Amino acid sequence: MNDAATEALVLEKVSIRLAGRELLRVDATVPPGEVLTIMGPSGSGKSTLLAFVAGFLDSAFVAQGKVHLGQRDVLSLPAEQRGIGLLFQDPMLFPHLSVAGNLRFGLPHRANDKRQQVAQALEQVGLAGFEARDPATLSGGQQARVALMRLLLSQPRAVLLDEPFSKLDTALRQEMRTLVFGQLRAAGLPTLLVTHDEADANAARGPIIDLG
């Protein structure tokens, strides 16, 4: 779905401090299609690391190091130009837009055949014919599927996952893990996952950094 997704995400000597105390230090390369899992308890700096990479780190934190995506210096770019997609605990669908409207929002402005791309995306995740649905009428699992496809349609070059399965019921979690990781691998996207759930890390089938 994303021809540009063939670059590694490199975190070089990344260090994040709060009030003079180092929360974490990460030195890692995430190849295309691989998921690097960052595990640790609350307060260990997992989500703060994602905020640093994505470009919205709170000013209370002090970060050092380099982040590259292919040959691009990510940190030199504003957040909206970094080419990094995010999935959070909540799907964060726009309530005033239909399912199709949410997916069209993810598409680049220059995209052609938007209606066809939306239809194909929905079919890909078992939601064919859901274009006109109000997001509020969808189940939690269906909302998560729409959020995933909106992310992929935006053609990111890398993806950050912030506890994306934690609010799903147990029956849905494994299904969504399989879907999300399968889609990201197929798209060749380097991915950073932060979680405290070992089952997430096992499903990602990639290297793990434990901050515990």
Side-chain angles (χ1 to χ4, degrees), residues 111-179:
N112 297 319
D113 300 320
K114 290 187 178 183
R115 182 174 303 202
Q116 182 180 355
Q117 289 190 58
V118 166
Q120 288 175 344
L122 289 172
E123 184 174 358
Q124 198 171 336
V125 290
L127 297 177
F130 275 56
E131 284 89 341
R133 289 281 293 272
D134 182 334
T137 68
L138 304 183
S139 68
Q142 290 169 336
Q143 290 182 15
R145 289 166 183 264
V146 174
L148 170 64
M149 297 316 293
R150 181 177 63 184
L151 168 73
L152 292 175
L153 286 173
S154 72
Q155 298 186 354
R157 294 172 179 265
V159 172
L160 309 179
L161 304 176
D162 192 355
E163 305 267 10
F165 315 112
S166 62
K167 291 195 174 180
L168 297 174
D169 61 51
T170 304
L172 268 176
R173 284 185 189 179
Q174 188 54 46
E175 178 185 341
M176 285 306 301
R177 289 179 187 120
T178 301
L179 175 66

Side-chain angles (χ1 to χ4, degrees), residues 25-40:
R25 181 178 292 270
V26 176
D27 213 2
T29 296
V30 190
E34 184 171 280
V35 181
L36 170 63
T37 300
I38 310 291
M39 292 192 68

Side-chain angles (χ1 to χ4, degrees), residues 27-212:
D27 213 2
T29 296
V30 190
E34 184 171 280
V35 181
L36 170 63
T37 300
I38 310 291
M39 292 192 68
S42 297
S44 59
K46 305 186 305 296
S47 294
T48 307
L49 174 64
L50 297 192
F52 174 57
V53 175
F56 51 89
L57 183 67
D58 188 284
S59 60
F61 297 91
V62 175
Q64 294 178 311
K66 298 178 181 179
V67 180
H68 285 88
L69 194 47
Q71 300 301 313
R72 301 162 74 227
D73 175 7
V74 169
L75 301 182
S76 68
L77 300 170
E80 67 274 11
Q81 293 179 18
R82 294 188 178 190
I84 294 174
L86 298 101
L87 275 185
F88 298 98
Q89 295 178 13
D90 296 304
M92 295 187 177
L93 300 180
F94 298 114
H96 63 289
L97 296 178
S98 65
V99 167
N102 269 277
L103 292 179
R104 283 196 297 270
F105 184 87
L107 284 165
H109 293 302
R110 64 184 181 279
N112 297 319
D113 300 320
K114 290 187 178 183
R115 182 174 303 202
Q116 182 180 355
Q117 289 190 58
V118 166
Q120 288 175 344
L122 289 172
E123 184 174 358
Q124 198 171 336
V125 290
L127 297 177
F130 275 56
E131 284 89 341
R133 289 281 293 272
D134 182 334
T137 68
L138 304 183
S139 68
Q142 290 169 336
Q143 290 182 15
R145 289 166 183 264
V146 174
L148 170 64
M149 297 316 293
R150 181 177 63 184
L151 168 73
L152 292 175
L153 286 173
S154 72
Q155 298 186 354
R157 294 172 179 265
V159 172
L160 309 179
L161 304 176
D162 192 355
E163 305 267 10
F165 315 112
S166 62
K167 291 195 174 180
L168 297 174
D169 61 51
T170 304
L172 268 176
R173 284 185 189 179
Q174 188 54 46
E175 178 185 341
M176 285 306 301
R177 289 179 187 120
T178 301
L179 175 66
V180 169
F181 295 137
Q183 292 281 348
L184 296 177
R185 286 192 195 97
L189 290 163
T191 301
L192 272 181
L193 164 70
V194 302
T195 184
H196 63 273
D197 189 337
E198 287 189 12
D200 290 349
N202 292 336
R205 301 206 313 265
I208 299 170
I209 296 176
D210 193 342
L211 303 177

